[in-house]
Amino acid sequence: MPARKLYFEGIRVGDELPALAKAPIDRVQLSRYAGASGDFNPVHVDEVYAKSVGMPSVYAPGMLVMGMLGQLISDWARGGQLRRYNVRFIKMVWPGDTVVCKGRVSDRHGEGGRYFVEVELWAENQRGELVMKGNSAIQLFYSLEDENRQRAGQSPIVVEVPRESLLQASAAQTSDGSEEDDERRSASMSGKKTTGSKPAAKLATAPAASQASAAAKKAKK
């Protein structure tokens, strides 16, 4: 059976990607990843060395978790082209940790026969703690008809799609006096702190799309 393909016309802002739960990280996987990636930093494979520099044990390379998120987006966007993939490292992943990768469509727009969706990505450990955040941009055919036309050398289907985003939807809700807006006003008056997103511990630049795809393949177990 041919792989399912994703088309722009069937995607909506707010759509969630099926979560990807990976097997618990173990030291064998860390050794295999070191060999596959060529990254032999001893803090990831040598327990004695890791403890000598103040770590409780070896820990997973950030690029391994990035590869897991890359697997999530590449499995979801079948038939699409990965145009951007960035991540931010938040928290260390240790042997025994289970990584769950998640995502949600945050933007959608099209112009001149080219169609794009943007996806916000994140990974959590078994305690629900955020370990990585990221985002990606995927270019897609508008529909099966559009794909068939372009592969036959014909012009693409052109549908002008203004940018739609979660930020716009959130702004519209708060401007209408949503419960979130009321809660913030009430918290401000009482001096209470409102719940916010977890701060990023470290910002990193992701590799090119081809490298991200390779990292995703190495992360599969």
Side-chain angles (χ1 to χ4, degrees), residues 93-219:
V93 174
W94 306 93
D97 281 353
T98 299
V99 176
V100 181
C101 303
K102 301 179 180 181
R104 178 172 52 191
V105 177
S106 58
D107 289 78
R108 177 181 186 272
H109 56 96
E111 183 178 3
R114 303 178 69 199
Y115 306 96
F116 299 89
V117 294
E118 299 188 20
V119 181
E120 58 181 21
L121 303 162
W122 67 96
E124 302 171 354
N125 61 21
Q126 69 276 11
R127 293 178 293 277
E129 299 169 334
L130 189 67
V131 298
M132 181 172 286
K133 290 184 66 175
N135 61 79
S136 65
I138 309 294
Q139 183 176 352
L140 297 164
F141 292 109
Y142 184 83
S143 62
L144 175 59
E145 179 186 357
D146 182 39
E147 179 180 7
N148 290 337
R149 285 173 57 91
Q150 293 195 51
R151 294 196 184 283
Q154 302 175 22
S155 59
I157 291 177
V158 178
V159 179
E160 300 302 319
V161 183
R163 180 179 289 274
E164 306 166 13
S165 71
L166 288 176
L167 292 177
Q168 291 174 345
S170 177
Q173 290 177 356
T174 54
S175 65
D176 290 340
S178 65
E179 292 181 0
E180 179 184 1
D181 197 32
D182 292 337
E183 180 184 352
R184 288 178 178 174
R185 285 198 295 266
S186 176
S188 177
M189 294 174 65
S190 63
K192 296 179 179 179
K193 294 183 178 179
T194 57
T195 303
S197 60
K198 297 181 180 179
K202 182 180 179 182
L203 179 64
T205 301
S210 59
Q211 294 174 324
S213 177
K217 292 180 181 177
K218 294 170 186 174

Side-chain angles (χ1 to χ4, degrees), residues 47-66:
E47 188 86 8
V48 174
Y49 178 85
K51 290 182 176 180
S52 73
V53 295
M55 295 295 175
S57 75
V58 295
Y59 59 93
M63 294 296 287
L64 174 59
V65 183
M66 182 180 180

